[in-house]
């Protein structure tokens, strides 16, 4: 019988796969190039000019629904470069 840690490791996904899945889903929702996406240790960072709170919340929910995502946050596009 496995431990909780074994389960977490089994469900963990590579950041590249997570980013590709989030990108695909957000492109289906908002169109290509609307969001820049980076992933580090399962945390998704969304970078975009979108200021509408409904659109941002929807993007967050879409990203959170991807297996392997541990957190979602938004970065200021000016800081992201």
């Amino acid at each position: 019988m496995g431990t909780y840690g074994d389960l977490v490791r089994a469900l963990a996904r590579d950041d590249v796969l997570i980013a590709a899945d989030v990108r695909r889903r957000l492109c289906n929702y908002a169109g290509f190039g609307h969001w820049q996406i980076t992933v580090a240790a399962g945390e998704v960072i969304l970078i975009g000019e979108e200021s509408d709170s409904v659109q941002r919340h929807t993007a967050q929910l879409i990203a959170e629904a991807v297996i392997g995502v541990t957190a979602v946050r938004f970065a200021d596009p000016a800081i992201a470069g």
Side-chain angles (χ1 to χ4, degrees):
M1 178 170 264
T3 65
Y4 178 74
D6 294 333
L7 177 62
V8 170
R9 279 187 292 283
L11 293 176
R13 294 177 68 201
D14 183 81
D15 288 341
V16 173
L17 296 175
I18 293 170
D21 200 4
V22 170
R23 188 172 291 108
R24 179 183 55 79
R25 291 177 187 212
L26 286 175
C27 283
N28 287 338
Y29 167 69
F32 180 76
H34 195 73
W35 295 100
Q36 292 178 359
I37 300 151
T38 60
V39 180
E43 179 184 34
V44 174
I45 302 164
L46 299 175
I47 304 159
E49 299 291 335
E50 186 60 61
S51 61
D52 180 271
S53 63
V54 172
Q55 298 292 325
R56 288 172 64 95
H57 182 69
T58 302
Q60 180 177 354
L61 292 175
I62 289 169
E64 288 174 343
V66 172
I67 293 173
V69 171
T70 58
V72 176
R73 68 179 172 94
F74 294 90
D76 181 343
I79 295 171

